[in-house]
Amino acid sequence: MQHTRRPRLARRYGSVNWRGLWVLYSRKAVLRFLRYGLESIAGPVVSSCIFVTVFVLALGGGAPMSPDLTLAQFVIPGIAMFTLAQVAFDSAAVMIIHDKQEGIIEDVLMAPLTPFEITLGYCLGAATNGLITGGVLMAIFAIFIDLPFSDPMMAVGFAFGGTVLFSLVGVIVGIWAERWDHFSAAETFLVMPLGLLSGTFFSIDRVPDGYDWLLLGNPMFHAINGFRTALTGHSDASVLAGGLFIAGLAGLLALLAWRLFAIGYRIKA
Amino acid sequence: MQSSPTTKPLSPRKMGAINGRGLWTLYVKEVRRFMNVFSQTLLAPMVTTLLFLAVFALALGGAGRQAGGVDYILFLGPGLIMMSMVQNSFANTSSSILIAKVQGNIVDLLMPPLSPAELVIGVAGGGVTRGVMVGFVVALGMSLFVPLSIHNPGFIVWHAVNASLMLALLGLIGGIWAEKFDHIAAVTNFIITPFSFLSGTFYSIERLPENWSFIAHLNPFFYMIDGFRYGFIGHADGSLAIGFFLVLAVNLFLGFTAHRMIATGYRLKA
């Protein structure tokens, strides 16, 4: 008897398990989102369109937000940014809480993925979902509203930064949450206030004196302001400082999420 | 013979035309279900509504903008209260029925000696209670920032109860119809939210172009919000009499539909 076949070897890979990362990103995050395309994309898109309609109807004809923009031009970049950040947050948090509750988070933890790869997979997956929704939304808005798109690369950059930031928030909330109540609490008391009080609907000079810091300390404000600047050329604050603020905060949150996965906080018994 | 005449044999509980105890138990179960997580079901709507109020107040820039003959913020307040009420009554009944169906404990509602009418009243009653309580909490929170005044309490109560009832019944019907959570999310996203947002909560209907304002007058949500707001500010965009009877008629129709669905066991009994 002679063994002609070689024994099977463990799959080899370098310092990053690219195939594993790709599977986590594509199958677990993005394809799962696209499978429920109607609810997951059309739902937020419809709500945003309603928001714009209501807002323009309610406030149209009033004092303009800024001399060079119409109300719709002012509001639309903000609403689009808010929607994509919210979808990214929801997507990341729901994914992780669902996996935890069904007990299938073990499949991710057992796989030969480092904590860093897990963080990256979940975060980029959720960010992609946010960007897909945002892309659909912007395509619709661009038909009806005249947007100059003065700096497309900057628009993409800020959209990416904002979604990554909020998907990291979603990852951390997902790890922390033990029940769905915790998720809704985070959404109601953290994401909604950040999103609504962010200069989406009003420019910074409408804020009473002494409360400017509320806006300037809100990463959502900087994401929206940068995105609006890129689309319309109108800026409320320093875009460079805003971009650095978002990048720094995203770096910190990524570090935190990585540590949480590494020590297995509320994931490993 | 060893009979003990002191203890009567057990016999089925007697009840009249209405199983009062059963109905009360069902109602209390529905109320406890949301009171158990009151931070999600009562406080969260208040926070969200106050955020909306802040956003619109800031966006207006404090200019003396008017709508419906009063300051815009006074016009907006009652509309926001009504919006939170309808969203919460709908969420209460739809989630109650759908979760029971998905988890299989809907049989606990269908097996007891409760008639379809009693089921409708018990479940919808829970939804109305949540809607009215949310409305009260939101109004309380709002009154810290907005000087709400009351013009006609009758209209406030009538429209608060009927609007909550309408959405509670819609939630009941939606919950029976839906087979997955996606279905109910779709109803919320594509029917309830558009109807409540585009119904004159945020703007006076006079602002709409001619043909659109005709369409807005066909929306029952418009009459609920309009009548409710009349109770506060004493100004109505549409006809109060039509609104008064329309909500009643819609509720009777929805109640009858829900009753038929439960009686025939549509998507409830195999």
Side-chain angles (χ1 to χ4, degrees):
Chain A
M1 289 300 279
Q2 200 176 6
H3 290 283
T4 48
R5 279 193 294 174
R6 285 195 303 162
R8 301 187 72 174
L9 291 173
R11 187 163 64 83
R12 297 257 174 82
Y13 47 79
S15 55
V16 174
N17 179 358
W18 289 111
R19 191 196 288 181
L21 182 56
W22 171 250
V23 171
L24 176 62
Y25 167 80
S26 62
R27 290 251 178 96
K28 205 153 184 61
V30 179
L31 288 182
R32 189 154 80 179
F33 175 79
L34 291 178
R35 200 181 308 149
Y36 300 100
L38 184 66
E39 288 83 19
S40 44
I41 299 178
V45 168
V46 169
S47 318
S48 313
C49 293
I50 292 172
F51 256 130
V52 174
T53 314
V54 162
F55 209 78
V56 173
L57 274 174
L59 299 183
M65 291 293 165
S66 72
D68 44 345
L69 297 183
T70 65
L71 188 60
Q73 283 174 334
F74 184 87
V75 167
I76 278 172
I79 289 184
M81 188 71 217
F82 175 37
T83 305
L84 49 102
Q86 201 186 14
V87 169
F89 167 82
D90 277 3
S91 178
V94 167
M95 234 179 332
I96 293 180
I97 299 175
H98 179 265
D99 286 359
K100 274 165 65 174
Q101 296 218 320
E102 301 280 320
I104 49 181
I105 189 101
E106 287 168 20
D107 297 349
V108 178
L109 298 177
M110 291 282 283
L113 288 166
T114 61
F116 177 73
E117 287 158 356
I118 295 176
T119 313
L120 204 62
Y122 274 123
C123 163
L124 290 183
T128 308
N129 301 342
L131 290 173
I132 293 172
T133 312
V136 172
L137 199 55
M138 285 315 295
I140 294 175
F141 283 151
I143 298 173
F144 294 103
I145 312 288
D146 173 36
L147 289 169
F149 277 94
S150 44
D151 193 342
M153 282 321 289
M154 193 162 100
V156 172
F158 270 98
F160 185 73
T163 41
V164 166
L165 183 67
F166 275 81
S167 56
L168 283 168
V169 175
V171 168
I172 292 168
V173 165
I175 296 174
W176 162 78
E178 285 174 320
R179 289 175 295 155
W180 289 109
D181 313 5
H182 295 157
F183 165 70
S184 346
E187 175 142 56
T188 313
F189 298 109
L190 180 72
V191 177
M192 287 295 279
L194 284 181
L196 287 175
L197 301 178
S198 61
T200 311
F201 300 98
F202 43 85
S203 73
I204 194 163
D205 28 291
R206 295 291 169 90
V207 179
D209 289 340
Y211 288 94
D212 284 3
W213 57 270
L214 263 179
L215 233 55
L216 292 173
N218 181 349
M220 188 65 118
F221 166 75
H222 293 289
I224 287 172
N225 186 50
F227 195 56
R228 184 185 290 135
T229 310
L231 292 186
T232 64
H234 166 87
S235 174
D236 273 354
S238 161
V239 173
L240 180 66
L244 289 176
F245 180 54
I246 291 172
L249 199 58
L252 274 181
L253 290 180
L255 201 65
L256 178 60
W258 172 61
R259 283 316 300 159
L260 290 178
F261 271 120
I263 63 174
Y265 176 73
R266 289 197 175 171
I267 291 179
K268 296 175 191 163
Chain B
M1 295 294 277
Q2 288 188 325
S3 67
S4 53
T6 48
T7 56
K8 281 199 299 177
L10 278 169
S11 64
R13 186 163 64 86
K14 298 256 173 67
M15 55 206 178
I18 292 176
N19 178 359
R21 189 193 291 179
L23 182 56
W24 175 248
T25 309
L26 174 61
Y27 172 75
V28 169
K29 173 221 162 222
E30 286 297 310
V31 172
R32 286 212 181 125
R33 203 180 75 87
F34 74 81
M35 285 308 285
N36 204 19
V37 282
F38 71 95
S39 67
Q40 239 191 95
T41 49
L42 294 182
L43 296 185
M46 183 179 88
V47 171
T48 313
T49 310
L50 290 183
L51 282 174
F52 267 111
L53 192 73
V55 162
F56 274 84
L58 284 171
L60 284 168
R65 190 188 178 84
Q66 301 253 314
V70 292
D71 274 354
Y72 180 73
I73 208 78
L74 288 175
F75 178 88
L76 179 66
L80 285 176
I81 297 174
M82 180 55 104
M83 213 173 74
S84 57
M85 287 199 305
V86 299
Q87 285 174 348
N88 279 281
S89 356
F90 180 81
N92 203 60
T93 48
S94 61
S95 65
S96 176
I97 296 290
L98 188 58
I99 290 175
K101 269 170 67 176
V102 170
Q103 297 188 338
N105 58 343
I106 187 86
V107 289
D108 296 346
L109 292 185
L110 299 175
M111 290 285 285
L114 286 166
S115 69
E118 286 159 355
L119 281 175
V120 172
I121 294 169
V123 175
V128 171
T129 308
R130 164 134 163 226
V132 171
M133 280 177 81
V134 165
F136 187 73
V137 171
V138 170
L140 213 61
M142 197 177 277
S143 60
L144 297 177
F145 305 100
V146 179
L148 291 174
S149 61
I150 291 177
H151 176 76
N152 184 337
F155 269 93
I156 297 180
V157 172
W158 173 259
H159 281 283
V161 170
N162 272 291
S164 301
L165 181 58
M166 189 186 298
L167 272 292
L169 289 169
L170 277 175
L172 182 57
I173 293 170
I176 294 175
W177 165 79
E179 284 172 328
K180 292 184 291 178
F181 285 102
D182 310 356
H183 292 159
I184 214 70
V187 173
T188 309
N189 272 334
F190 302 123
I191 299 177
I192 304 298
T193 313
F195 265 108
S196 56
F197 270 82
L198 300 176
S199 54
T201 308
F202 296 98
Y203 46 84
S204 176
I205 212 91
E206 296 149 11
R207 290 188 61 84
L208 291 173
E210 191 106 8
N211 296 330
W212 285 99
S213 104
F214 169 73
I215 292 174
H217 278 91
L218 298 176
N219 178 355
F221 284 43
F222 161 70
Y223 290 99
M224 291 168 358
I225 290 179
D226 200 41
F228 186 68
R229 182 186 289 133
Y230 172 80
F232 284 95
I233 65 173
H235 167 90
D237 283 346
S239 159
L240 286 172
I242 292 180
F244 191 89
F245 292 108
L246 182 76
V247 288
L248 189 64
V250 172
N251 278 338
L252 286 175
F253 170 73
L254 290 176
F256 185 71
T257 309
H259 179 269
R260 287 318 301 159
M261 286 172 104
I262 294 181
T264 58
Y266 174 75
R267 288 196 176 173
L268 289 174
K269 298 173 190 167

